[in-house]
Amino acid sequence: MLPAMQIEAFFSEARRNLDEAQRGRCRNVASLFSEIAPRLASAKRLDRALDQHLARRFNVLDYLRTDELGLSRIIADLLNPVAGHGQRALFLGEFLNLLREHLPLHPPALGNDDRVRVTLEYEIENQRRIDILVEIPSEPSPWALAIENKPYAGDQKHQVQAYLRHLEGKYAPNFLLIYLSPTGEGPSEYSVKRRELQKHWQDNFAVLPYHQHSDSAESDHPGAEPDDAAGELGNADAESENHGAESGETSPRCLPFSLADWLQTCRRECEVDRLRWFLSDAIQFCQAIFGGQTMTSKHESKTIRDFLFDHPEHLETALAVHDSWPSIRDQICKTFLERLKKSLKKRIKEDPRLVDFKDDLEVDCKYGGRPRYSNQLWLYRKQWREYENGEKNTSQRTAIMLQSDGYGPNSWCVGVRSPLRKENMVDADKERREKTEKELEKKLGPSQATSGSWPHWKHLDTPARNWESIVPDLHSENQADQPGKITSCIVDKIVDIAAAAIPIINEYDQ
């Protein structure tokens, strides 16, 4: 056995070596930032100068209706050979070519463009509507391409199952239903059982993402209900979904291309500048809203990439910075959410529209990070009724809620949320819920989409909608003594909704 003095000397030397290694790593990080910072500043100046002449951040979709119906209209119009774009069947043909490459089904060749029929909001039984239906002439019956567009809202009960049964009864076997979701999420078990998909419609159903997500493990998720916080279904179907995943049932087929890829193909093949500009804007919209676009421009990214290739000695340090970013982002966003909570509590006490309720309003929040629907802030009155088996986050009460429905702290929406889905309510509660929906629409305007758990909701406007792209701004507001521009924008929105919604909820939920 070594003498105690030698053991002490060994560990003392080890500590010195470790401390020196850590100081060396810190020096490398400092050196990397000191060398990149002026190059990045130069790239930013160049970006601003180019924007004066090219307006690269201008996007026409920022001024158009981009809720579910608005996006469906754009897609349907592009697929329609007789629409105003004048390109005949060019865009539809490119879409069918992509399908032929990746699916066992073989859509017919396009002949007389005028015979292709494109219907928006195609109505079937029980007043259900398929978002887009494209009927292509063929013998002995038309070939049908149906698209169920789900950019934001969750599924209704048995929704996809009803669509598939209708299409099968009318077009079998010549039909395909595409489930268009943000990053390749499939329908939930609440909408169609996975085993039923596999058994009856495996070759007639596919999932198409708006934008391919880098995290394949999450994009293969079978589709948790966006209407239920933290991805919890809140009903008996949650158990059957988990059971299906464990029993070896395969996930729905997810196409290896995205809507943005199709738009890019259309842009490449189109020769009309006006259309190419619009298609470019549509591609950028998909990337920004569904692709987790960050604050770094392409020119800035290229500047950093070129520097690292020219100075490979910094690659290891750059990797360490990259690996540290998720925890930095989450800490900043979590702190910002807590500051929102604090600012909201203060505003409630000061706003004359809420003064009568200030002693009865509860405000809380939670930050779950990366999983969808795991980041939330909510407020409710303690005297509002508690629903049995309701969601625990809001003490089983209706609430005014801010929630992210994207991966990470992105795609923030705000509105009125029920602890129970409408489909799971007893008749008396359903009647109250329907009255609440009508009154909220009168006060707040149309809801962005139908939803089982949200009587009314809309996405936040940019830039507050996607926090991952504004982390430096959030950090600046975290350090400030007074609420910043983004904080005030979000708090104002929540307070305005609360002022309109609380009297309505008081009437139906006490």
Side-chain angles (χ1 to χ4, degrees), residues 4 11 44 59 69 150 161 172-173 196 225 264 284 371:
F11 281 108
K44 287 180 180 292
N59 192 311
L69 182 57
K150 289 293 183 185
Q161 176 181 287
E196 294 294 316
E225 290 284 340
Q264 183 63 53
Q284 291 174 7

Side-chain angles (χ1 to χ4, degrees), residues 8 35 67 87 99 101 116 159 194 226 240 257 263 265 272 309 322 324 356 379-380 386 397 407 418 466 498 510:
E8 183 178 354
E35 294 188 55
D67 59 3
Q87 304 305 293
L99 293 179
E101 290 180 22
V116 175
Q159 184 177 17
R194 198 184 310 178
S240 62
F257 64 93
L263 294 170
T265 301
V272 181
F309 279 124
H322 172 272
S324 301
D356 292 340
L379 69 149
Y380 62 88
E386 296 182 52
R397 294 174 172 89
Y407 290 97
S418 169
N466 293 325
Q510 289 197 80

Side-chain angles (χ1 to χ4, degrees), residues 159-176:
Q159 184 177 17
V160 169
Q161 176 181 287
Y163 295 164
L164 286 165
R165 286 181 174 173
H166 174 87
L167 294 168
E168 183 177 44
K170 187 172 182 179
Y171 302 102
N174 299 323
F175 73 93
L176 175 68

Side-chain angles (χ1 to χ4, degrees), residues 11-27:
F11 281 108
S12 177
E13 180 65 21
R15 281 194 296 271
R16 283 195 295 271
N17 292 336
L18 180 60
D19 290 344
E20 179 57 34
Q22 290 174 337
R23 286 192 292 270
R25 180 64 67 89
C26 290
R27 287 194 295 269

Side-chain angles (χ1 to χ4, degrees), residues 353-473:
R353 297 171 295 175
L354 300 178
V355 66
D356 292 340
F357 316 119
K358 64 180 183 179
D359 295 329
D360 186 49
L361 279 173
E362 291 287 325
V363 181
D364 208 347
C365 67
K366 72 169 187 176
Y367 186 83
R370 176 70 175 164
R372 299 183 76 195
Y373 332 119
S374 64
N375 308 309
Q376 302 168 328
L377 180 148
W378 62 90
L379 69 149
Y380 62 88
R381 293 194 69 189
K382 289 179 283 188
Q383 65 177 261
W384 287 343
R385 63 171 295 194
E386 296 182 52
Y387 287 83
E388 293 183 7
N389 300 319
E391 180 186 316
K392 305 296 190 227
N393 285 356
T394 59
S395 297
Q396 300 174 248
R397 294 174 172 89
T398 300
I400 290 87
M401 180 175 281
L402 173 74
Q403 175 180 290
S404 67
D405 65 359
Y407 290 97
N410 296 315
S411 197
W412 286 92
C413 57
V414 61
V416 177
R417 194 179 191 285
S418 169
L420 282 181
R421 293 185 62 89
K422 185 177 180 179
E423 298 88 335
N424 296 334
M425 291 179 172
V426 298
D427 290 343
D429 289 339
K430 282 184 181 179
E431 184 178 351
R432 280 193 292 268
R433 164 69 182 269
E434 289 169 357
K435 291 179 179 178
T436 301
E437 290 174 350
K438 292 178 181 178
E439 293 300 319
L440 288 171
E441 186 168 351
K442 290 179 183 177
K443 291 288 186 179
L444 300 172
S447 181
Q448 191 148 351
T450 59
S451 171
S453 293
W454 295 75
H456 194 283
W457 71 276
K458 291 183 180 180
H459 274 114
L460 289 177
D461 295 331
T462 54
R465 181 169 174 174
N466 293 325
W467 291 6
E468 195 155 14
S469 63
I470 55 170
V471 168
D473 297 321

